[in-house]
């Protein structure tokens, strides 16, 4: 026999529910300000309205919600004939207390993306972008990137997180025009021995380069 619904139970918005949400958002705001670190947990693009959540920040946000990540590969392609690699993944953020899935994020990555399809060769004026001769060598890196994007997406889906952050810096590069690399030496970063790359998106134009071996980005000062 089905239980009868309690006609006196409150549904929809309630003062208690609003107060709880307000308290949770305040806790999350304090966590973002006091715990997360710029250029480690999140990055800032000049002109952007919100900072971008990075992989370490996504892991810390999940920990703050007392969750752990469970990744899974959904589909993949390893085509040796065409040299095409593609991975699609999802990541569940699972509550350590209840075992329930609190958020699920999705990510994909493939060898036709600019940063995997090409590589830089040469220095100074001789520096040029050439096509990667063997994309299959990057299969493991591409798989990890798909999982990384899924984990960041999952963290962004936790309650209130999207209020403070936008998509991952890595993914933001997919939403802008193909980078233009100036030939002028003024656009060479002497600190990291790298070339500033121009990006154009909905928030305007900016120059930056990724710091080799890290998740950090170095932005050109105005």
């Amino acid at each position: 026999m089905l239980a009868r619904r309690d006609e006196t139970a409150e549904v929809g918005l309630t003062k208690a529910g609003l107060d709880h949400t307000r308290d949770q958002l305040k806790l999350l705001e304090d966590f973002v300000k006091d715990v997360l670190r710029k250029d480690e947990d999140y990055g800032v693009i000049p002109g952007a309205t919100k900072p971008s959540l990075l992989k370490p920040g996504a892991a810390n946000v999940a920990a703050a919600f007392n969750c752990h990540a469970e990744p899974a590969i959904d589909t993949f392609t390893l085509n040796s004939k065409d040299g095409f690699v593609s991975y699609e993944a999802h990541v569940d953020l699972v509550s350590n207390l209840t075992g329930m899935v609190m958020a699920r994020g999705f990510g994909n990555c493939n060898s036709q993306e600019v940063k995997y399809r090409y590589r830089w060769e040469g220095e100074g004026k001789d520096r040029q972008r050439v096509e990667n001769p063997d994309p299959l060598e990057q299969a493991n890196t591409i798989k990890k990137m798909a999982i990384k994007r899924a984990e960041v997406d999952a963290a962004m889906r936790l309650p209130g997180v999207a209020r403070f952050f936008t998509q991952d810096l890595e993914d933001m590069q997919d939403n802008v025009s193909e980078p233009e690399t100036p030939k002028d030496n003024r656009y060479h970063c002497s600190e990291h021995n790298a070339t500033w790359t121009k990006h154009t998106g909905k928030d305007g134009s900016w120059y930056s380069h990724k710091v080799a071996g890290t998740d950090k980005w170095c932005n050109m000062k105005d």
Side-chain angles (χ1 to χ4, degrees), residues 70-179:
E70 294 186 357
I73 297 298
D74 297 320
T75 63
F76 68 92
T77 299
L78 297 173
N79 191 324
S80 58
K81 180 179 179 180
D82 299 330
F84 180 70
V85 180
S86 176
Y87 282 91
E88 293 189 3
H90 75 263
V91 167
D92 288 337
L93 294 183
V94 181
S95 170
N96 294 324
L97 298 176
T98 67
M100 295 179 60
V101 175
M102 304 300 293
R104 172 172 288 186
F106 301 88
N108 61 73
C109 186
N110 68 76
S111 57
Q112 286 298 300
E113 295 182 25
V114 171
K115 62 183 176 180
Y116 299 113
R117 182 175 179 179
Y118 301 99
R119 67 184 184 187
W120 291 102
E121 289 186 352
E123 297 292 337
K125 294 182 179 181
D126 296 326
R127 186 174 172 81
Q128 60 180 343
R129 192 176 67 178
V130 299
E131 195 153 355
N132 191 332
D134 189 2
L136 292 179
E137 289 185 350
Q138 303 179 93
N140 192 50
T141 299
I142 291 172
K143 178 173 70 173
K144 289 180 178 179
M145 178 57 71
I147 294 173
K148 169 187 171 182
R149 290 172 176 173
E151 185 171 351
V152 172
D153 183 47
M156 289 287 293
R157 294 173 187 267
L158 289 169
V161 176
R163 180 181 184 182
F164 302 97
F165 299 104
T166 186
Q167 65 196 106
D168 182 13
L169 260 173
E170 296 272 8
D171 293 334
M172 188 168 283
Q173 303 305 317
D174 297 335
N175 297 329
V176 299
S177 61
E178 185 172 322

Side-chain angles (χ1 to χ4, degrees), residues 187-200:
Y187 296 92
H188 182 76
C189 176
S190 57
E191 180 181 357
H192 301 106
N193 192 27
T195 301
W196 300 109
T197 301
K198 183 179 180 181
H199 310 274
T200 303

